[in-house]
Amino acid sequence: MTRRVAIAGVGLSDAGTTKDSTPYTLIADASRAAIAEAGLTPADVDGLASTSLGTMAPIDVAEYLGLRPRWVDSTTVGGASWEVMAAHAADAIALGRADVVLLTYGSTARSDLKNGLRTASLDWGSRGPQQWEAPFGHTIISKYAMAARRHMHEYGTTIEQLAEIAVSARANAALNPEASYRDLITIDDVLGGPMIADPFTKLQCCIRSDGGAAVVLVAEDRAADLLTEPVWILGAGEAVSHVSMSQWEDMTTGPAAVSGRLAFERAGITPEDIDVCEIYDAFTSMLLLTLEDLGFCGRGEAGAFVEGGRLRVGGALPTNTDGGGLSAMHPGQRGLFLLVEAARQLRGEAGARQVTDAELACVSGSGGWFCSSGTMILGRG
């Protein structure tokens, strides 16, 4: 017999101005907060999912936290890793391979860049298939920009519609005291900023921040002992697409078209039932295409769909209610932060940015330049 699985606790950590913060300390702080919120102890944790840190992920994280898990996962598919690993963890818990799984992540990407410990992530090297694109200076952002331009060409999507996504993200961030940037912006502000990669100006690109996040998943038989209201995983899907741009069959759609369909089918609901969305937004067009892939609007319709404040708290489809990667936080990978915000919304703990009567959430992470996707449907009660 399989068991239902719930999010029992979530936690965030912020390096702030503390110069001694490391990815490990951020992981520890967020993990302690999530475990304590659930009313559990580290001794209860028998599963661990983490990636993008150390030489033997997630063993090094387990050692740092003093854990000895009997189930682990370190799936690395970019920003979608956390939704994919959460789905894997839910499957493991449902089958009894673990009872309490901790997903945790930390990064000091912003501090490392400021302190000269790393350089900007212009590309991911030239090994394997990327050797055919790297010599031409094809950066990460330019790949997203190509996809954005293709959507504009195919469907008439306007630069003002893309800018509205950044404006809506900032409006939501203004309600979030933990957001990195809270001053309201206008479409003119977005379009008047420095060009980074046509059509993206600076405010259409995710910020770089430090931060940590953690989520605790538990089996349903532990739910009665929780200190918080459980948020249930109703359905999940995952998919991968391409690495080389030449192998991307259609630049106006990504693997979320597959992961989203699977997640909604497994949850037994439709996009029309969703109250709040948390969707990866490394760039404005990333959110635009994902909305279409998930079925919230038809192909080519997302430009008009995002107009009129639809994505803002109080709008028809509140999306990235914490301000997203465009305004709130983006510490290297953002996928786990999406799950944290969705859980807070469904538990009614989001403060000024709370979506009224939120009962169903769609969380969708994306990796690479639409190379991977993980989508989860979460519900309360």
Side-chain angles (χ1 to χ4, degrees):
M1 177 179 291
T2 60
R3 303 180 293 180
R4 291 199 302 163
V5 179
I7 294 177
V10 299
L12 294 178
S13 56
D14 182 6
T17 57
T18 305
K19 65 179 181 180
D20 295 328
S21 292
T22 71
Y24 289 98
T25 60
L26 294 175
I27 282 175
D29 290 344
S31 298
R32 278 193 291 264
I35 293 170
E37 183 180 83
L40 301 171
T41 70
D44 294 307
V45 177
D46 58 0
L48 176 66
S50 190
T51 187
S52 298
L53 189 65
T55 56
M56 296 187 71
I59 303 173
D60 47 357
V61 171
E63 180 179 84
Y64 187 84
L65 297 178
L67 302 177
R68 296 293 184 268
R70 60 188 175 96
W71 179 91
V72 295
D73 191 7
S74 61
T75 298
T76 303
V77 288
S81 297
W82 304 100
E83 284 68 39
V84 171
M85 286 193 289
H88 294 176
D91 289 343
I93 293 172
L95 294 174
R97 303 189 186 281
D99 294 316
V100 178
V101 175
L102 171 68
L103 291 84
T104 187
Y105 172 76
S107 171
T108 50
R110 184 174 185 272
S111 294
D112 291 349
L113 186 63
K114 291 181 64 176
N115 295 330
L117 300 178
R118 60 175 290 172
T119 58
S121 302
L122 296 179
D123 61 62
W124 288 349
S126 57
R127 295 183 177 181
Q130 294 186 78
Q131 66 182 294
W132 309 112
E133 295 179 354
F136 301 97
H138 206 181
T139 61
I140 293 174
I141 187 173
S142 68
K143 297 178 182 184
Y144 285 101
M146 285 181 65
R149 274 296 178 194
R150 189 65 198 178
H151 197 277
M152 296 170 77
H153 172 77
E154 291 278 352
Y155 300 113
T157 306
T158 68
I159 192 68
E160 289 81 9
Q161 290 169 338
L162 288 174
E164 169 59 30
I165 294 173
V167 173
S168 292
R170 185 62 63 86
N172 291 343
L175 304 174
N176 178 13
E178 297 175 319
S180 297
Y181 296 93
R182 302 182 62 197
D183 293 337
L184 295 177
I185 56 175
T186 67
I187 288 178
D188 287 341
D189 291 331
V190 176
L191 300 185
M195 181 64 68
I196 306 300
D198 188 6
F200 298 138
T201 52
K202 182 178 179 180
L203 291 175
Q204 295 188 66
C205 306
C206 64
I207 65 175
R208 186 183 294 272
S209 68
D210 299 336
V215 169
V216 175
L217 303 181
V218 302
E220 62 180 319
D221 48 292
R222 305 292 295 266
D225 300 325
L226 300 179
L227 295 181
T228 58
E229 179 183 0
V231 172
W232 299 100
I233 296 177
L234 305 181
E238 60 190 83
V240 298
S241 179
H242 61 282
V243 172
S244 304
M245 294 292 285
S246 62
Q247 302 304 304
W248 191 357
E249 296 177 354
D250 183 350
M251 289 187 187
T252 67
T253 186
V258 176
S259 70
R261 173 179 56 79
L262 292 172
F264 279 111
E265 287 177 354
R266 291 164 179 168
I269 64 172
T270 69
E272 288 73 23
D273 299 315
I274 294 296
D275 300 306
V276 60
C277 282
E278 307 299 338
I279 297 175
Y280 213 112
D281 60 340
F283 302 96
T284 51
S285 68
M286 192 179 206
L287 176 55
L288 188 90
L289 268 66
T290 305
L291 286 169
E292 293 180 3
D293 286 344
L294 295 176
F296 288 101
C297 56
R299 291 286 299 276
E301 297 177 358
F305 184 83
V306 303
E307 293 179 334
R310 184 186 295 267
L311 305 184
R312 305 182 193 188
V313 174
L317 186 67
T319 299
N320 294 344
T321 47
D322 64 345
L326 294 170
S327 286
M329 61 186 71
H330 194 292
Q333 293 182 1
R334 181 169 158 77
L336 194 53
F337 296 82
L338 304 177
L339 290 167
V340 171
E341 177 65 12
R344 286 179 168 178
Q345 285 287 342
L346 295 182
R347 294 193 315 214
E349 299 172 351
R353 65 185 186 278
Q354 178 63 50
V355 175
T356 304
D357 298 326
E359 295 190 358
L360 291 170
C362 176
V363 178
S364 190
S366 181
W369 32 100
F370 294 99
C371 301
S372 65
S373 175
T375 301
M376 304 198 82
I377 308 301
L378 305 177
R380 62 179 297 181

